[in-house]
Amino acid sequence: MSDPCYTLIQQDDDKEQLSVQDLKKALEHGKDEQKIQTMKKIITLMINGDPCPQLLMHVIRFVTPSRDKRLKKLLLNYWEICPKTNPDGKLKQEMILVCNYYKNDLQHPNEFIRGSTLRFLCKLREPELLEPLIPSVRDCLNHKYAYVRKNAIFAIYSIYKNFPNLIPDATELISNVLIVETDMSCKRNALVTLANISLPLASEYLNSVWSQIDSFDESMQLAVIEIIMKDCRNPTANKSKYIQCIFSLLQSNYASVKYDAATTLVTLSSHETAVKAAASCYISLIMKVPDNNVKLIVLNKLNELREKHGRIIDGMTMDILCVLSSPDIEVRRKCIDIALEMVTSRNVDEVVSFLKKELVKTHDQEYERNTEYRQLLIHAIHTCAIKFHEVAANVVYVLMEFLGDAHNASAVDVIAFVKEVLEKIPELRSKIVKKLMESFMEMKTGRVFRGALWIIGEYCLTVEDIEAAMNEIRNTLGDLPLLASEQRSYENELESNENKDGEEKKSAQPRVLADGTYATESAFSTYTSIKKDNKQRPPIRALLLKSDFYLGSVLASTLTKIVLRYEELCSDAEKINSLKSEAMLIMTGIVNLGRSKFVNSIIDEDSVERIMTCLRTLATSPEDKLLKDAFLTDSRSAYSQLVRNQDKKAAQEKELNKKNHAIQVDDVINFSLLKSKKNVQSENDEIESDLTRATGSSSKTTKVTSQLSRVMQLTGFSDPVYAEAYVNVHQYNILLDILIVNQTSETLQNLTLEFSTLGDLKLLETPVPHTLRPHGFHTVKANIKVSSTETGVIFGNIVYDGPGALDTSCVILNDIHIDIMDYIKPAYCTETKFRSMWTEFEWENKVNVNTNITDLRQYINHIMKTTNMACLTPEHALSGECGFLGANMYARSIFGEDALANICLEKQGDSIAGHIRIRSKTQGIALSLGDKITLNQKILKN
């Protein structure tokens, strides 16, 4: 086991290292400034593994007599890491001189030196050195400066904890200090010390100062809360009195005290009053504390409280929504997530009304990341309206005012909400369709128009609605036919330009200015503004000219639906033929426009084929019954099935969460009053369990087989030095535990393990040289920092000196490849978010499918297992037998990097063909996942 080290100093590898003789000369003849630099170099050398025993006497002779405070502080750092015992375990003789210097510093007139020395004594573990210093430490308890006294208290606690026989009366000593001490920092240290060495005495002191607790400072009140937590494990503790004290501390002026008091209160009691008081305290903290990180921490605590006591704090939903006044978008997102879980039929009207007001404010006021906040509010209102149908009618019209939002995501969320409301609440269909048609001219983006056109095609169920919809479509397209009207507009512009050019030439006569020079007039600037006004076009026509022909195909499908439905509803053949001919004119106009010179790019074949299918359907109706049913029935049925599947999936997830939190009938019930005192005292409190999880040392034992799978052989069995490494990945760090074996019959001196890294890996410390006996073993640990999921490689060699002075040998190590799967976790997101990220991410890696797996579904499952990605495609879309299969997958790294994947597969005989497209914001994760798939797609593990 290596000695503990309390001070870490990074060594500068690029600087020349001084020899021991140079260091001795610098200590012997240098001035204080030079000695300070020399001591820093000595400490750095010792931290990196060189004990430097030759320098101990020079430090004692030439450094300890100095009065420089900086040098004395470095000396304390030196004594921390300096070996104080011989190889046989006995104290070095030189340390007797050092002990005398300790004693002098404990009696030094300067309070800083006394306090620093007392802090150093907390780290000493040699009773021979501590015993002569006990009287001086006792005297420091009565020093006039609080800095000395508070460090003396902790020094006594450390000595008593490790060597109780040196200060047998420590409990009585600290109790007396606690009574007579006036400084709050000293009282806090004394109270914490007393709680750790004698909890009953600490509780007795609390009872004596019960009325003064509210007047204590922050650190003292935190110490009181800690003692209450510890003493409440005792069955004989006055728990009701402690809860009363915690209630009073909820009104403290210190944020940290209020937070700890609220957390402690719900730990001690689950009564409704206690839970509500803790929740109110959390909300008050969020509102008052300016730090956004603290707000998020407290919101997480509030969410935990909701999960355990949701029924009790459901009435505080509106109080939680007040947190939306915070400008930070992450705080707002977390607040809305918590509030949505607390919405019930009793408070849904209030919640929706508040969210509507906030939504209106996003138009009038400029918030930080305003469009994202608006999208959050729209999604929240959407969730409430779908969950509670009675409020849908109140919010749907407000949200539809945002269909013309220039921010595409917000408008898309609104149109998706409108579609779901129309499907689930039939009584609102007529009013919503009319409101949608009123907003038609305000829409700006193709995705919103596509959703609106689909709604019109499916839910315009009366003759009046169909005629109104046709009128609105006509307004958004402009003059018909499309190509002819564009040609006329173009010719008019050319004629206008020629007239303007003629006028410009006529007016371009020389003019004599006041200074006698000539100038020519021009009307160019006036013409430019006129030309710009002429370019204003109806919205759908403008999108078609920008080559959005997917919108054109959706428009053709909508026109086909409303014409077919109009045939069923209307008996006037003339009106039917007029509507049908106009619809066919629009469709042919879209195709002709797409093939003309007026668009940015030529129309694609898929859109042409879809529009031609619509034309054939109208031309053959009503004879072709199959196509008619496909347009009027199948599309709507598919969407209805999708909504039902989403609801079913959400219900299953909710039921699964309930099962996970359910308590089984045969679970053990623990009664704290029936436990023995020994068991109560041995329980780990919440803080200790958090520390256990944070350090990664959980109670679950790791399987030996999983450990052996991470052992990598670095050298061959025939090499003079054998090495193997166990790769332990813990979040952002990689710990290499390397076993080195000397396979020769000679002693290997200065054996050094040299590492280099490739990628986003950083070696935190350099392994120190060692001497290895014949056939001896040695273990070296190396810590490597990881900063991204890019594939990293660790390579290096082992260098050692042989028997001769000039014999130096080198053994090259095998490369260690870091598996990025240790940093990638499955994640889930909505389809809208997936598409948004797919459009945004710029790095793409395309991997061709080349596998011996013959089943499409089995291949997707294998890829999911290989890449740790979650499949976003619903189960019903993957089921069944078909020669084609497509799926979307999503994962997220611990560094916050998103990874998207789209799989397109086709069955070709007994083999599978296709490709996998991976997209991410950074290049590293896209390439790493592509390499992982390429290496593993042929290997099917049983």
Side-chain angles (χ1 to χ4, degrees), residues 331-345:
V331 174
R332 287 172 169 172
R333 180 180 285 110
K334 189 68 178 178
C335 171
I336 289 177
D337 290 343
I338 295 173
L340 289 179
E341 294 294 332
M342 298 170 63
V343 175
T344 62
S345 57

Side-chain angles (χ1 to χ4, degrees), residues 307-536:
E307 292 174 353
K308 294 179 182 178
H309 311 281
R311 179 184 57 81
I312 297 175
I313 65 171
D314 278 347
M316 307 181 71
T317 308
M318 296 305 298
D319 297 330
I320 294 174
L321 284 175
C322 293
V323 180
L324 291 178
S325 59
S326 171
D328 185 71
I329 190 65
E330 295 301 328
V331 174
R332 287 172 169 172
R333 180 180 285 110
K334 189 68 178 178
C335 171
I336 289 177
D337 290 343
I338 295 173
L340 289 179
E341 294 294 332
M342 298 170 63
V343 175
T344 62
S345 57
R346 296 179 179 180
N347 59 17
V348 63
D349 291 327
E350 290 182 284
V351 171
V352 171
S353 177
F354 184 88
L355 293 175
K356 283 165 60 178
K357 291 178 182 177
E358 286 292 314
L359 189 59
V360 172
K361 287 180 184 178
T362 59
H363 264 308
D364 303 333
Q365 303 176 17
E366 280 299 325
Y367 291 103
E368 179 186 357
R369 297 166 73 176
N370 198 36
T371 54
E372 192 172 349
Y373 180 45
R374 185 182 304 162
Q375 192 175 351
L376 277 178
L377 292 172
I378 291 172
H379 176 72
I381 296 174
H382 177 183
T383 305
C384 293
I386 296 303
K387 192 175 180 181
F388 304 96
H389 291 174
E390 59 270 18
V391 300
N394 297 330
V395 300
V396 65
Y397 304 115
V398 177
L399 290 183
M400 288 178 71
E401 295 177 1
F402 293 88
L403 286 174
D405 195 344
H407 182 58
N408 190 27
S410 299
V412 170
D413 284 347
V414 172
I415 206 70
F417 165 66
V418 172
K419 288 170 66 175
E420 195 166 354
V421 170
L422 287 169
E423 178 60 32
K424 292 186 175 181
I425 313 175
E427 56 269 19
L428 296 178
R429 287 174 182 171
S430 178
K431 294 181 179 179
I432 292 177
V433 168
K434 289 180 180 178
K435 176 66 176 177
L436 182 67
M437 288 189 288
E438 292 174 5
S439 307
F440 225 61
M441 292 296 291
E442 300 173 2
M443 300 178 192
K444 294 181 175 64
T445 61
R447 290 185 66 184
V448 179
F449 267 116
R450 293 198 296 269
L453 288 170
W454 184 89
I455 291 173
I456 288 175
E458 296 295 338
Y459 296 103
C460 282
L461 305 178
T462 63
V463 173
E464 293 78 10
D465 288 345
I466 291 175
E467 291 176 351
M470 197 65 192
N471 187 47
E472 289 299 326
I473 292 173
R474 195 180 299 116
N475 292 336
T476 56
L477 284 171
D479 296 335
L480 296 177
L482 295 175
L483 181 59
S485 61
E486 281 298 316
Q487 185 68 35
R488 286 196 303 271
S489 176
Y490 178 70
E491 291 174 355
N492 292 336
E493 286 183 11
L494 287 179
E495 185 178 351
S496 176
N497 292 345
E498 291 176 359
N499 294 335
K500 292 292 180 181
D501 291 341
E503 293 178 5
E504 185 176 349
K505 290 178 180 178
K506 291 179 181 179
S507 62
Q509 298 176 357
R511 303 282 184 180
V512 181
L513 300 180
D515 59 354
T517 59
Y518 291 93
T520 302
E521 289 183 340
S522 175
F524 179 75
S525 59
T526 307
Y527 164 72
T528 303
S529 62
I530 296 172
K531 183 178 179 181
K532 184 177 180 181
D533 292 338
N534 291 335
K535 286 294 182 180
Q536 298 297 329

Side-chain angles (χ1 to χ4, degrees), residues 168-215:
D169 59 338
T171 304
E172 182 181 352
L173 194 63
I174 297 299
S175 299
N176 294 333
V177 169
L178 195 56
I179 295 172
V180 301
E181 185 59 65
T182 57
D183 183 79
M184 279 296 175
S185 61
C186 297
K187 288 177 77 73
R188 180 261 174 192
N189 286 9
L191 186 58
V192 171
T193 299
L194 195 61
N196 282 281
I197 62 179
S198 178
L199 187 58
L201 283 179
S203 303
E204 184 180 336
Y205 171 77
L206 280 187
N207 290 326
S208 65
V209 295
W210 205 256
S211 59
Q212 305 173 24
I213 291 178
D214 291 340
S215 61

